[in-house]
Amino acid sequence: GAGIVLGKHSGRNAVGTRLRELGYDLDLDKLNAVFARFKEVAEKKKGGLDDDDLESLVSDQSQSMNELWKVTGLQATTGLSGIPTATVKLMGPDGVERYVSSTGTGPVDAVYKAIDQIIGVEVTLESYSMNSVNEGIEALASTRVVIVPTVDGPNDSSVMDAQTSQLREKKFSGSGSDTDIITSSARAYVSALNKLLTWKMRRMTNGVDETGAMNAVAVDGEAPLVVAAN
């Protein structure tokens, strides 16, 4: 990327001014949300964030406004020996944090399985792509995923195709960015699931759960462990 590089000591005004110069006229709430993410990433990314990084954060944050579920903690272990394991902590729409540990074929798979268990969804990962926003070992990673809910599953998204009159599964995409590729992958996946759950809530007419918290399901016969509450 080119342009001014902003670091962890840069203030909200400096970030807001640069974003306006880049063509982003954000209201105060959105600017605060982007700035909060900027501070998180700037603390981990030596050398500061350039224009490409800032634009990626704006794109990332725009998808997380009004989100039902948010990634608040993540730890993954992997290696040549041992089973890839991930512990994921999510804050639900009720302001309560829940966490689950899961194993998988790789660290991202383990993270996604843990997220599925917490939220209570059955989906197929149709596509997963990742690219570096800029060059270098500390580059910001941007991940994009597309998910399709499992047919006849709890989040079945079958819709009637207006042209063919055939049922088809609606797809949902999500993106996320972070200096850590596992974290960016988790943010992208949760972003896509939030879109799915929001869409399902809009379709429900009776017995609607306005918070979406009922999407959290018991794991191994027990309620998800509450670790914090507002």
Side-chain angles (χ1 to χ4, degrees), residues 64-82:
S64 65
M65 298 299 287
N66 302 317
E67 61 190 356
L68 295 172
W69 292 88
K70 179 180 180 180
V71 181
T72 55
L74 189 156
Q75 184 173 10
T77 57
T78 188
L80 293 176
S81 60

PDB file of all heavy atoms in Angstrom, residues 64-82:
ATOM      1  N   SER A  64     -19.479  -6.073  10.435  1.00  0.00           N
ATOM      2  CA  SER A  64     -19.705  -6.491  11.823  1.00  0.00           C
ATOM      3  C   SER A  64     -20.651  -5.559  12.576  1.00  0.00           C
ATOM      4  O   SER A  64     -20.926  -5.772  13.746  1.00  0.00           O
ATOM      5  CB  SER A  64     -18.370  -6.562  12.571  1.00  0.00           C
ATOM      6  OG  SER A  64     -17.774  -5.284  12.687  1.00  0.00           O
ATOM      7  N   MET A  65     -21.154  -4.505  11.890  1.00  0.00           N
ATOM      8  CA  MET A  65     -22.126  -3.634  12.549  1.00  0.00           C
ATOM      9  C   MET A  65     -23.420  -4.429  12.763  1.00  0.00           C
ATOM     10  O   MET A  65     -23.852  -5.187  11.912  1.00  0.00           O
ATOM     11  CB  MET A  65     -22.403  -2.401  11.687  1.00  0.00           C
ATOM     12  CG  MET A  65     -21.172  -1.519  11.453  1.00  0.00           C
ATOM     13  SD  MET A  65     -20.449  -0.818  12.952  1.00  0.00           S
ATOM     14  CE  MET A  65     -21.675   0.427  13.345  1.00  0.00           C
ATOM     15  N   ASN A  66     -24.026  -4.246  13.914  1.00  0.00           N
ATOM     16  CA  ASN A  66     -25.274  -4.948  14.258  1.00  0.00           C
ATOM     17  C   ASN A  66     -25.093  -6.465  14.239  1.00  0.00           C
ATOM     18  O   ASN A  66     -26.016  -7.197  13.897  1.00  0.00           O
ATOM     19  CB  ASN A  66     -26.401  -4.550  13.288  1.00  0.00           C
ATOM     20  CG  ASN A  66     -26.652  -3.055  13.283  1.00  0.00           C
ATOM     21  OD1 ASN A  66     -26.670  -2.426  14.331  1.00  0.00           O
ATOM     22  ND2 ASN A  66     -26.824  -2.488  12.100  1.00  0.00           N
ATOM     23  N   GLU A  67     -23.919  -6.928  14.599  1.00  0.00           N
ATOM     24  CA  GLU A  67     -23.666  -8.363  14.574  1.00  0.00           C
ATOM     25  C   GLU A  67     -24.332  -9.053  15.762  1.00  0.00           C
ATOM     26  O   GLU A  67     -24.452  -8.486  16.845  1.00  0.00           O
ATOM     27  CB  GLU A  67     -22.152  -8.627  14.590  1.00  0.00           C
ATOM     28  CG  GLU A  67     -21.449  -8.080  15.825  1.00  0.00           C
ATOM     29  CD  GLU A  67     -19.945  -8.133  15.707  1.00  0.00           C
ATOM     30  OE1 GLU A  67     -19.453  -8.668  14.708  1.00  0.00           O
ATOM     31  OE2 GLU A  67     -19.273  -7.624  16.603  1.00  0.00           O
ATOM     32  N   LEU A  68     -24.767 -10.292  15.537  1.00  0.00           N
ATOM     33  CA  LEU A  68     -25.379 -11.078  16.605  1.00  0.00           C
ATOM     34  C   LEU A  68     -24.305 -11.727  17.469  1.00  0.00           C
ATOM     35  O   LEU A  68     -24.380 -11.725  18.694  1.00  0.00           O
ATOM     36  CB  LEU A  68     -26.292 -12.151  15.999  1.00  0.00           C
ATOM     37  CG  LEU A  68     -27.514 -11.648  15.237  1.00  0.00           C
ATOM     38  CD1 LEU A  68     -28.206 -12.812  14.537  1.00  0.00           C
ATOM     39  CD2 LEU A  68     -28.473 -10.939  16.176  1.00  0.00           C
ATOM     40  N   TRP A  69     -23.322 -12.319  16.819  1.00  0.00           N
ATOM     41  CA  TRP A  69     -22.240 -13.022  17.520  1.00  0.00           C
ATOM     42  C   TRP A  69     -20.899 -12.363  17.187  1.00  0.00           C
ATOM     43  O   TRP A  69     -20.687 -11.913  16.069  1.00  0.00           O
ATOM     44  CB  TRP A  69     -22.202 -14.499  17.106  1.00  0.00           C
ATOM     45  CG  TRP A  69     -23.397 -15.269  17.575  1.00  0.00           C
ATOM     46  CD1 TRP A  69     -24.591 -15.425  16.928  1.00  0.00           C
ATOM     47  CD2 TRP A  69     -23.530 -15.976  18.813  1.00  0.00           C
ATOM     48  NE1 TRP A  69     -25.453 -16.184  17.679  1.00  0.00           N
ATOM     49  CE2 TRP A  69     -24.830 -16.537  18.843  1.00  0.00           C
ATOM     50  CE3 TRP A  69     -22.672 -16.200  19.894  1.00  0.00           C
ATOM     51  CZ2 TRP A  69     -25.284 -17.305  19.907  1.00  0.00           C
ATOM     52  CZ3 TRP A  69     -23.134 -16.960  20.957  1.00  0.00           C
ATOM     53  CH2 TRP A  69     -24.429 -17.512  20.960  1.00  0.00           C
ATOM     54  N   LYS A  70     -20.007 -12.336  18.169  1.00  0.00           N
ATOM     55  CA  LYS A  70     -18.709 -11.691  17.996  1.00  0.00           C
ATOM     56  C   LYS A  70     -17.613 -12.558  18.599  1.00  0.00           C
ATOM     57  O   LYS A  70     -17.775 -13.119  19.685  1.00  0.00           O
ATOM     58  CB  LYS A  70     -18.723 -10.315  18.672  1.00  0.00           C
ATOM     59  CG  LYS A  70     -17.413  -9.553  18.568  1.00  0.00           C
ATOM     60  CD  LYS A  70     -17.527  -8.209  19.272  1.00  0.00           C
ATOM     61  CE  LYS A  70     -16.219  -7.436  19.176  1.00  0.00           C
ATOM     62  NZ  LYS A  70     -16.315  -6.113  19.870  1.00  0.00           N
ATOM     63  N   VAL A  71     -16.497 -12.698  17.887  1.00  0.00           N
ATOM     64  CA  VAL A  71     -15.352 -13.450  18.398  1.00  0.00           C
ATOM     65  C   VAL A  71     -14.659 -12.620  19.470  1.00  0.00           C
ATOM     66  O   VAL A  71     -14.194 -11.508  19.216  1.00  0.00           O
ATOM     67  CB  VAL A  71     -14.345 -13.777  17.279  1.00  0.00           C
ATOM     68  CG1 VAL A  71     -13.170 -14.577  17.846  1.00  0.00           C
ATOM     69  CG2 VAL A  71     -15.020 -14.551  16.150  1.00  0.00           C
ATOM     70  N   THR A  72     -14.593 -13.147  20.696  1.00  0.00           N
ATOM     71  CA  THR A  72     -13.952 -12.416  21.792  1.00  0.00           C
ATOM     72  C   THR A  72     -12.700 -13.120  22.316  1.00  0.00           C
ATOM     73  O   THR A  72     -11.950 -12.547  23.100  1.00  0.00           O
ATOM     74  CB  THR A  72     -14.933 -12.205  22.957  1.00  0.00           C
ATOM     75  OG1 THR A  72     -15.463 -13.476  23.372  1.00  0.00           O
ATOM     76  CG2 THR A  72     -16.087 -11.302  22.535  1.00  0.00           C
ATOM     77  N   GLY A  73     -12.491 -14.365  21.884  1.00  0.00           N
ATOM     78  CA  GLY A  73     -11.295 -15.084  22.320  1.00  0.00           C
ATOM     79  C   GLY A  73     -11.052 -16.282  21.428  1.00  0.00           C
ATOM     80  O   GLY A  73     -11.997 -16.892  20.920  1.00  0.00           O
ATOM     81  N   LEU A  74      -9.783 -16.592  21.211  1.00  0.00           N
ATOM     82  CA  LEU A  74      -9.456 -17.722  20.333  1.00  0.00           C
ATOM     83  C   LEU A  74      -8.045 -18.210  20.628  1.00  0.00           C
ATOM     84  O   LEU A  74      -7.110 -17.413  20.758  1.00  0.00           O
ATOM     85  CB  LEU A  74      -9.559 -17.275  18.870  1.00  0.00           C
ATOM     86  CG  LEU A  74      -9.461 -18.342  17.761  1.00  0.00           C
ATOM     87  CD1 LEU A  74     -10.150 -17.835  16.501  1.00  0.00           C
ATOM     88  CD2 LEU A  74      -7.998 -18.639  17.434  1.00  0.00           C
ATOM     89  N   GLN A  75      -7.910 -19.518  20.737  1.00  0.00           N
ATOM     90  CA  GLN A  75      -6.591 -20.131  20.887  1.00  0.00           C
ATOM     91  C   GLN A  75      -6.577 -21.432  20.104  1.00  0.00           C
ATOM     92  O   GLN A  75      -7.466 -22.273  20.267  1.00  0.00           O
ATOM     93  CB  GLN A  75      -6.263 -20.392  22.357  1.00  0.00           C
ATOM     94  CG  GLN A  75      -4.859 -20.938  22.577  1.00  0.00           C
ATOM     95  CD  GLN A  75      -4.492 -21.018  24.048  1.00  0.00           C
ATOM     96  OE1 GLN A  75      -5.329 -20.846  24.915  1.00  0.00           O
ATOM     97  NE2 GLN A  75      -3.231 -21.276  24.339  1.00  0.00           N
ATOM     98  N   ALA A  76      -5.610 -21.594  19.235  1.00  0.00           N
ATOM     99  CA  ALA A  76      -5.512 -22.805  18.419  1.00  0.00           C
ATOM    100  C   ALA A  76      -4.112 -23.386  18.524  1.00  0.00           C
ATOM    101  O   ALA A  76      -3.128 -22.653  18.592  1.00  0.00           O
ATOM    102  CB  ALA A  76      -5.835 -22.489  16.966  1.00  0.00           C
ATOM    103  N   THR A  77      -4.031 -24.712  18.570  1.00  0.00           N
ATOM    104  CA  THR A  77      -2.743 -25.401  18.608  1.00  0.00           C
ATOM    105  C   THR A  77      -2.687 -26.408  17.470  1.00  0.00           C
ATOM    106  O   THR A  77      -3.671 -27.072  17.161  1.00  0.00           O
ATOM    107  CB  THR A  77      -2.535 -26.134  19.945  1.00  0.00           C
ATOM    108  OG1 THR A  77      -3.614 -27.064  20.154  1.00  0.00           O
ATOM    109  CG2 THR A  77      -2.515 -25.147  21.107  1.00  0.00           C
ATOM    110  N   THR A  78      -1.529 -26.505  16.838  1.00  0.00           N
ATOM    111  CA  THR A  78      -1.343 -27.451  15.750  1.00  0.00           C
ATOM    112  C   THR A  78       0.142 -27.779  15.656  1.00  0.00           C
ATOM    113  O   THR A  78       0.966 -27.222  16.377  1.00  0.00           O
ATOM    114  CB  THR A  78      -1.859 -26.869  14.419  1.00  0.00           C
ATOM    115  OG1 THR A  78      -1.838 -27.885  13.417  1.00  0.00           O
ATOM    116  CG2 THR A  78      -1.025 -25.688  13.967  1.00  0.00           C
ATOM    117  N   GLY A  79       0.488 -28.693  14.782  1.00  0.00           N
ATOM    118  CA  GLY A  79       1.886 -29.067  14.628  1.00  0.00           C
ATOM    119  C   GLY A  79       2.015 -30.361  13.857  1.00  0.00           C
ATOM    120  O   GLY A  79       1.025 -30.943  13.399  1.00  0.00           O
ATOM    121  N   LEU A  80       3.254 -30.842  13.707  1.00  0.00           N
ATOM    122  CA  LEU A  80       3.491 -32.072  12.968  1.00  0.00           C
ATOM    123  C   LEU A  80       2.931 -33.281  13.709  1.00  0.00           C
ATOM    124  O   LEU A  80       2.540 -34.270  13.107  1.00  0.00           O
ATOM    125  CB  LEU A  80       4.993 -32.250  12.727  1.00  0.00           C
ATOM    126  CG  LEU A  80       5.635 -31.222  11.791  1.00  0.00           C
ATOM    127  CD1 LEU A  80       7.141 -31.450  11.712  1.00  0.00           C
ATOM    128  CD2 LEU A  80       5.023 -31.308  10.398  1.00  0.00           C
ATOM    129  N   SER A  81       2.922 -33.213  15.039  1.00  0.00           N
ATOM    130  CA  SER A  81       2.340 -34.292  15.827  1.00  0.00           C
ATOM    131  C   SER A  81       1.248 -33.709  16.703  1.00  0.00           C
ATOM    132  O   SER A  81       1.283 -32.538  17.065  1.00  0.00           O
ATOM    133  CB  SER A  81       3.408 -34.963  16.706  1.00  0.00           C
ATOM    134  OG  SER A  81       3.986 -34.022  17.588  1.00  0.00           O
ATOM    135  N   GLY A  82       0.267 -34.522  17.014  1.00  0.00           N
ATOM    136  CA  GLY A  82      -0.843 -34.034  17.815  1.00  0.00           C
ATOM    137  C   GLY A  82      -2.034 -33.663  16.956  1.00  0.00           C
ATOM    138  O   GLY A  82      -1.934 -33.483  15.741  1.00  0.00           O
TER     139      GLY A  82
END
